């Protein structure tokens, strides 16, 4: 119900952590471990703050492993809302052969969930056939490494429509770099936006708490999808809420319902982040990278 991000305190703790966590989960089936591939965090899920605190204490006292905890990061993404073109040019001269590659690219937005599409419009051998896959690979890696705000880029169509090469100095590496540079410049000009994950939340609680729960969800930027009685004096609320607002919902719900509420939460979709929150999220990202 409640996650915390954990990491080993020292190198010796890192060596022992996997086995210690395996034993901890065997002893306590109410704990759950998850590795988030997007944020690269290891999350330990428990029933609440006390449960997680006891689990960390048992790791230290009984299994000899100390862990540090971090705030759980949200897997934001980026996309674009406009179309733009740019020249990606990679030129490097050292002793012997240099590096030279130029790729002209156009970026366009795709429908949400459509993913990445690469289009080859090269004609007349402006870029030799064997180097086209390198341009695509450079673009794909640039998208994965993060756009303007540092988060993975999704739902973009990229067309390579022209380029230049050198008979001696051009290589796969130079065109991979040209594709990456061209994509980054074009994306910055194509009205990039930040996307946040939105969760579907189903809350069940005694009817007397309905007003407080709805007010709380509205304050979390939630959109109520429906509500109604489910019998035995209980009601159910279904809402879509930004995931960042409900990471600690287990604690909030317990406080609002005196421990008599329960909830289920699942990932729903991605939505644009409101403009007034973008700067704050970007600063948190920079701080996390620096840390």
């Amino acid at each position: 119900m409640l996650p915390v991000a954990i990491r080993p305190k020292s190198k010796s703790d890192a060596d022992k952590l996997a086995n210690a966590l395996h034993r901890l989960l065997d002893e306590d089936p109410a704990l759950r471990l998850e590795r988030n591939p997007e944020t690269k965090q290891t999350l330990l899920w428990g029933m609440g703050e006390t449960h997680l605190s006891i689990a960390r204490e048992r790791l230290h006292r009984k299994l000899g492993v100390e862990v540090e905890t971090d705030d759980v990061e949200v897997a934001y993404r980026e996309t674009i809302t406009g179309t733009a073109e740019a020249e990606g040019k990679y030129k490097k001269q050292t002793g012997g052969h240099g590096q030279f590659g130029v790729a002209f690219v156009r970026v366009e937005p795709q429908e949400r969930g459509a993913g990445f599409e690469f289009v080859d419009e090269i004609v007349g051998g402006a870029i030799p056939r064997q180097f086209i896959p390198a341009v695509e690979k450079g673009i794909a890696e640039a998208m994965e490494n993060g756009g303007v705000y540092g988060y993975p880029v999704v739902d973009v169509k990229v067309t390579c429509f022209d380029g230049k090469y050198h008979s001696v100095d051009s290589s796969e590496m130079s065109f991979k770099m040209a594709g990456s540079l061209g994509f980054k410049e074009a994306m910055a000009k194509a009205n990039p936006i930040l996307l946040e994950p939105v969760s579907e939340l189903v809350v069940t609680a005694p009817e007397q708490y309905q007003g407080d729960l709805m007010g709380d969800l509205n304050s979390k930027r939630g959109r109520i999808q429906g509500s109604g009685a489910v019998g035995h004096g209980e009601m159910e609320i279904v809402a879509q809420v930004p995931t960042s607002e409900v990471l600690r919902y287990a604690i909030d719900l317990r406080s609002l319902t005196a421990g008599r509420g329960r909830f289920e939460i699942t990932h729903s979709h991605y939505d644009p982040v409101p403009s007034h929150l973008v700067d704050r999220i970007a600063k948190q990202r920079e701080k996390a990278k620096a840390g």
Side-chain angles (χ1 to χ4, degrees):
M1 291 175 68
L2 185 72
V4 66
I6 59 169
R7 54 184 167 83
K9 190 171 184 179
S10 68
K11 174 72 170 68
S12 64
D13 291 319
D15 296 337
K16 297 182 287 185
L17 183 59
N19 283 336
L21 286 171
H22 188 69
R23 286 180 59 188
L24 186 69
L25 267 62
D26 279 348
E27 293 172 10
D28 188 347
L31 290 168
R32 179 165 66 86
L33 199 64
E34 175 194 351
R35 175 70 178 170
N36 188 316
E38 285 197 43
T39 63
K40 309 289 193 291
Q41 286 186 313
T42 298
L43 305 181
L44 184 64
W45 289 77
M47 302 301 289
E49 285 188 310
T50 305
H51 186 210
L52 289 169
S53 179
I54 290 168
R56 294 198 303 274
E57 176 61 26
R58 280 168 60 203
L59 269 178
H60 178 38
R61 183 172 40 80
K62 193 174 175 184
L63 302 171
V65 177
E66 282 194 82
V67 292
E68 303 272 13
T69 61
D70 297 309
D71 291 335
V72 177
E73 292 179 23
V74 173
Y76 293 99
R77 292 178 181 171
E78 295 180 43
T79 192
I80 56 174
T81 57
T83 299
E85 295 180 354
E87 174 192 18
K89 184 175 186 179
Y90 185 69
K91 186 178 181 182
K92 198 171 182 182
Q93 195 60 51
T94 53
H97 288 328
Q99 294 284 350
F100 181 84
V102 176
F104 289 87
V105 299
R106 181 189 311 115
V107 297
E108 302 166 73
Q110 299 247 76
E111 283 186 18
R112 196 80 72 244
F116 166 50
E117 180 185 354
F118 178 77
V119 180
D120 169 16
E121 282 187 1
I122 295 296
V123 292
I127 299 176
R129 290 286 104 201
Q130 70 267 30
F131 296 139
I132 302 291
V135 176
E136 181 178 0
K137 189 175 182 184
I139 292 165
E141 286 186 8
M143 289 175 67
E144 196 176 309
N145 290 334
V148 177
Y149 305 104
Y151 292 97
V153 180
V154 295
D155 305 334
V156 175
K157 176 182 176 181
V158 186
T159 302
C160 182
F161 61 89
D162 201 0
K164 297 174 185 173
Y165 77 102
H166 187 279
S167 57
V168 176
D169 290 347
S170 287
S171 66
E172 282 193 13
M173 198 273 274
S174 54
F175 275 104
K176 184 178 165 186
M177 291 297 297
S180 174
L181 293 167
F183 171 77
K184 287 176 183 175
E185 187 179 327
M187 182 177 173
K189 298 191 290 186
N191 302 326
I193 59 169
L194 201 56
L195 299 172
E196 65 180 345
V198 175
S199 294
E200 180 160 294
L201 185 65
V202 181
V203 186
T204 308
E207 290 175 349
Q208 72 220 54
Y209 299 112
Q210 183 168 356
D212 288 345
L213 289 169
M214 283 188 160
D216 178 64
L217 290 171
N218 283 326
S219 75
K220 289 175 161 54
R221 300 189 284 128
R223 295 192 296 269
I224 308 296
Q225 305 293 299
S227 66
V230 291
H232 307 292
E234 288 193 324
M235 59 83 214
E236 183 180 271
I237 300 172
V238 180
Q240 291 189 341
V241 196
T243 305
S244 61
E245 303 280 356
V246 286
L247 290 171
R248 299 175 65 80
Y249 193 66
I251 296 168
D252 298 340
L253 183 63
R254 185 176 297 125
S255 170
L256 287 164
T257 64
R260 297 170 67 193
R262 58 192 184 277
F263 72 99
E264 292 180 15
I265 191 165
T266 51
H267 172 72
S268 175
H269 62 280
Y270 275 81
D271 266 350
V273 173
S275 55
H276 68 280
L277 296 176
V278 170
D279 283 349
R280 190 183 80 193
I281 293 166
K283 282 174 184 169
Q284 286 173 347
R285 176 73 167 182
E286 285 173 20
K287 188 177 175 184
K289 277 190 170 182

